[in-house]
Each structure stands twice: as structure tokens, then as C-alpha cells.
Amino acid sequence: GQNIDQPTEMTATEGAIVQINCTYQTSGFNGLFWYQQHAGEAPTFLSYNVLDGLEEKGRFSSFLSRSKGYSYLLLKELQMKDSASYLCAVTEGNYQLIWGAGTKLIIKP
Amino acid sequence: IAGITQAPTSQILAAGRRMTLRCTQDMRHNAMYWYRQDLGLGLRLIHYSNTAGTTGKGEVPDGYSVSRANTDDFPLTLASAVPSQTSVYFCASSEGGGEGYNEQFFGPGTRLTVL
């Protein structure tokens, strides 16, 4: 079956670093997306990984291990505006994405 | 450039009524999608369309129908609304056209309450 797991909620401190993990089990795999969703708003694209390794984009980085079915999103120098839900999604070789339930990140001053 | 627009923004509907949620994109994307998002469950695919003139069922299609008469529009219809269809509905689109990279762009959502 298809399954994507993320922690439900995480709390971190402004200025710190936080790592949000995502594990997946799917029948096929072509790539993994991370999206950010602020409360009451639409999801917006953060990153895409298809090969193993780390992709860095400013304060955000995303890592993928295909053999382990594992990814993480790393957020550095946390700001209050980073308080949001972070959604992991896997693409399986057609146009569709399989979505995790999302991780709600709470940033405290 | 608007991207994807949805209408209405929110709606309260009596059970048993028919309702169409509208979605329009101006990016000339081939593929379009309808999701519902419920607390704790994440995004669940209702219906999708890989290109104009074709549609397919997603994970939770029952009680919903779609059409794709042209590239830009992808309306979602609830023939006879029930309270379990209370949710936030997101329309999305992607370039499509092949396997792998499939970044989806989302509309602002429609908050629907069925009483």
C-alpha cells in the first residue's frame, strides 16, 4: 500500500534549526516534494528531490534517501513567519501526488 | 497573472442541495486536480484531469463529479451535498506531460460547510 508518515506537530525556537522527517512506502517512486502551508492558505512549493542527497535553497534544505524511503526538511535560522504546516508528497510516475498529513511547526520567541 | 482562481471563497449549503465549485487557471497547464483537506487527514485527491477532455477518479470520488471542457476550467459538482462533505476544497494544476517532476500550483481554496 501507499503510506507517508510525518510527525503531527513540532515546536522550535526562533533562530534555531529544526528537522522535519518524512518516511514513505509507495508502489513506485519518481520524486518527493515539500510544500509549506500557512493556516488558512494554499500549499506553496518549497523543494523537490529525485536523487539521493541534500538540496540547499537558502535557509531551507531537503534531503532524500531513496533506499531508505526517507526524507527530511531542514529549516535554519528560524523566523516567526516559518510557523506553518509542512507537507511531504511523493510522485509515483503519473501526474498524481501522494500526500502526507503534514507537520504543524510552531515557532516560539 | 492570476494563476489559479476558485469561487466561491466560502459557502454554507443545506444538505441535499446541488453545488458547483469553480476553478480556472491561466497558466495553460495540462493537468488539473481537486482535493479536499480535512484536519489530520491531509490532502485527498477527489478527481483529476490529465488534459482537456479527460477526467479520472482519485482517492475519494464518491458524491462528486467533474468536467474538463477546455484547458482553463475544471468545475467540481456536488450533486446532493451531505454533511460529510464539509471541508476545504483546493483546486490545483500542473504542466503534466510526463513522469517525474510534477509541481502542483494551488488555488486559494473554497471553505464549504454542509448543514
Side-chain angles (χ1 to χ4, degrees), chain A residues 35 37 42 93 95-96 99, chain B residues 33 37 48 50 99 102 104 107:
Chain A
Y35 277 74
Q37 185 177 24
Y95 300 145
Q96 297 177 28
W99 296 83
Chain B
Y33 315 84
Q37 188 175 39
Y48 66 94
N50 290 339
E99 297 185 352
N102 186 31
Q104 294 185 7

Side-chain angles (χ1 to χ4, degrees), chain B residues 17-28:
Chain B
R17 296 296 296 269
R18 181 184 180 90
M19 175 74 190
T20 295
L21 307 185
R22 300 184 298 278
C23 175
T24 299
Q25 54 106 355
D26 63 2
M27 296 177 283
R28 308 303 295 171

